[in-house]
């Protein structure tokens, strides 16, 4: 499969072969990252703008490092110190930055659809780094990459996503990616945060956490997205931790080789006990490491790369 898209806006519109092309290209870039000289000239002369209008640690930093490793010039736009604060629109902001010869915009925004909006009028490529509760495509790609790397396959695996599904862009992108690649996805958590409507996306929904994790090969935990919840969806954090958090008692009832994943940031003692987050069952920091290779692959592909065959061995 050869990549042929100018933008990466979501996972929903990608085919399984396109997703696998990103994963295979990321595998090639991960090998580059293990060499003494970790930089390649693939994006020499190109400019990447990190347009983050919402906070981020992992995504923004790894996109910046990915662009640097590809020898691109990088601009990190800081919303708080910009003319957005004086009332300039997102459209005008992006068009002004494009006038400075930006080739790729990596955008994170609290509004669902913001990347799709930019892609309508910019000549540059647009990469979605998280838009509201809609999608976070590179998170799903790095999660799929990590699962494939650790388990050797994705097809046929049982993946449980536990927690605040309703407000989670990570959940939506993961559901699209994993079901397209043939995994069986279970969603678990309180009924207020895991409505049955998600069954329409091909998932099993359960509100019994023990049932959700019992036969899982992968347990992906999500934090409570307070910033996107309009009102309290459960009585309190303590009750949530008791009823749905992954603790030692619950972990003992999972498959011994089930991987524990989390996109971060983690809320220790809420959705996951601190010891489990730091245990050898957890691949949370490996997910972060893999994010760099996946984001190198995405920047490479949207700027005209066709696939892993074009990454110098
Ligand atoms: N997983 C994730 O998107 O983390 P950041 O918000 O820190 O980028």
């Amino acid at each position: 499969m050869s990549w042929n898209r100018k933008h990466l806006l979501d996972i929903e519109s990608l085919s399984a072969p396109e997703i696998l092309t990103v994963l295979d290209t990321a595998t090639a870039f991960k090998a580059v990252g293990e060499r003494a000289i970790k930089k390649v000239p693939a994006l020499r002369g190109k400019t990447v703008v990190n347009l983050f209008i919402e906070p981020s640690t992992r995504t923004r930093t790894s996109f910046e490092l990915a662009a640097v490793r590809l020898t691109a010039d990088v601009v990190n736009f800081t919303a708080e110190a910009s003319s957005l604060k004086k009332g300039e629109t997102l459209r005008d902001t992006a068009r002004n930055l494009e006038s400075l010869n930006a080739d790729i915009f990596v955008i994170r925004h609290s509004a669902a659809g913001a990347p799709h909006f930019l892609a309508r009028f910019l000549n540059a490529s647009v990469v979605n780094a998280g838009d509201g509760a809609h999608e976070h495509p590179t998170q799903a790609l790095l999660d799929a990459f990590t699962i494939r790397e650790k388990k050797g396959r994705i097809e046929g695996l049982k993946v449980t996503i536990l927690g605040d599904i309703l407000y989670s862009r990570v959940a939506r992108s993961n559901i699209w990616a994993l079901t397209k690649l043939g995994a069986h996805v279970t969603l678990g958590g309180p009924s207020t945060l895991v409505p049955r409507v998600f069954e329409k996306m091909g998932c099993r929904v359960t509100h019994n956490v023990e049932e959700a994790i019992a036969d899982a090969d992968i347990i992906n935990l999500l934090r409570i997205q307070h910033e996107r919840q309009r009102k309290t969806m459960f009585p309190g954090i303590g009750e949530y931790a008791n009823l749905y958090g992954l603790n030692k008692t619950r972990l003992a009832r999972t498959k011994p080789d089930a991987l524990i994943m989390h996109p971060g940031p983690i809320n220790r003692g809420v959705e996951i006990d601190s010891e489990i987050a730091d245990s050898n069952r957890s691949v949370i920091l490996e997910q972060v490491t893999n994010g760099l290779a996946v984001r190198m692959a995405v920047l490479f592909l949207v700027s005209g790369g066709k696939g892993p065959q074009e990454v110098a061995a």
Side-chain angles (χ1 to χ4, degrees):
M1 171 81 202
S2 159
W3 183 266
N4 215 10
R5 286 178 188 259
K6 180 176 170 184
H7 310 294
L8 176 65
L9 301 177
D10 50 46
I11 300 289
E12 182 179 2
S13 63
L14 297 188
S15 65
E18 283 176 312
I19 295 169
L20 291 172
T21 298
V22 180
L23 302 192
D24 292 345
T25 307
T27 300
F29 278 120
K30 188 161 182 180
V32 169
E34 284 156 7
R35 294 183 201 155
I37 297 172
K38 297 176 171 52
K39 280 180 85 161
V40 289
L43 264 65
R44 182 183 286 151
K46 306 259 186 197
T47 300
V48 176
V49 174
N50 275 328
L51 190 57
F52 278 62
I53 321 287
E54 243 197 9
S56 166
T57 295
R58 286 147 286 270
T59 313
R60 198 197 61 74
T61 311
S62 58
F63 264 116
E64 179 178 357
L65 194 51
V68 168
R69 291 272 174 91
L70 294 166
T71 324
D73 296 321
V74 190
V75 174
N76 287 314
F77 177 88
T78 311
E80 289 302 311
S82 76
S83 291
L84 283 169
K85 291 281 156 199
K86 302 177 199 163
E88 190 164 37
T89 64
L90 177 64
R91 180 191 176 99
D92 283 336
T93 301
R95 291 190 72 214
N96 277 272
L97 293 167
E98 191 176 46
S99 299
L100 295 167
N101 292 323
D103 297 291
I104 304 174
F105 283 83
V106 178
I107 178 169
R108 170 169 289 190
H109 202 289
S110 57
H116 304 68
F117 171 68
L118 291 194
R120 276 174 24 209
F121 59 83
L122 291 176
N123 292 316
S125 294
V126 178
V127 176
N128 182 357
D131 62 325
H134 175 230
E135 282 225 35
H136 191 348
T138 57
Q139 181 67 47
L141 291 165
L142 75 87
D143 291 342
F145 182 94
T146 305
I147 292 170
R148 191 175 73 160
E149 185 176 64
K150 302 301 279 186
K151 294 286 188 186
R153 67 189 168 100
I154 292 173
E155 189 168 10
L157 289 179
K158 292 180 175 158
V159 182
T160 289
I161 308 175
L162 201 59
D164 180 357
I165 309 294
L166 184 61
Y167 293 95
S168 173
R169 55 195 176 208
V170 173
R172 282 173 183 75
S173 287
N174 261 273
I175 293 166
W176 286 121
L178 293 168
T179 53
K180 283 171 194 268
L181 296 177
H184 305 290
V185 178
T186 293
L187 307 176
S191 57
T192 46
L193 295 176
V194 193
R196 294 227 169 257
V197 69
F198 280 94
E199 287 171 344
K200 291 190 175 158
M201 291 180 78
C203 304
R204 178 174 71 133
V205 168
T206 174
H207 305 120
N208 178 328
V209 67
E210 272 72 24
E211 185 185 314
I213 61 179
D215 63 350
D217 299 298
I218 312 289
I219 301 169
N220 194 354
L221 302 158
L222 302 178
R223 75 183 171 89
I224 303 299
Q225 329 263 322
H226 295 291
E227 72 276 24
R228 286 198 273 280
Q229 289 189 14
R230 288 188 184 84
K231 55 189 175 189
T232 306
M233 306 297 274
F234 50 88
I237 288 293
E239 183 177 288
Y240 182 88
N242 280 337
L243 291 176
Y244 300 102
L246 189 63
N247 53 31
K248 269 207 275 192
T249 309
R250 291 202 173 103
L251 187 69
R253 296 190 197 127
T254 63
K255 285 168 82 171
D257 62 346
L259 297 181
I260 308 303
M261 301 179 71
H262 194 306
I266 60 175
N267 289 144
R268 291 174 183 266
V270 182
E271 69 272 10
I272 184 168
D273 270 13
S274 214
E275 293 166 53
I276 300 173
D278 297 330
S279 73
N280 59 9
R281 294 278 300 274
S282 155
V283 294
I284 296 171
L285 293 178
E286 287 170 76
Q287 290 171 258
V288 178
T289 302
N290 291 334
L292 174 57
V294 165
R295 287 170 178 133
M296 285 176 79
V298 167
L299 293 177
F300 173 72
L301 292 169
V302 299
S303 55
K306 295 293 171 204
Q309 67 279 6
E310 293 185 347
V311 180

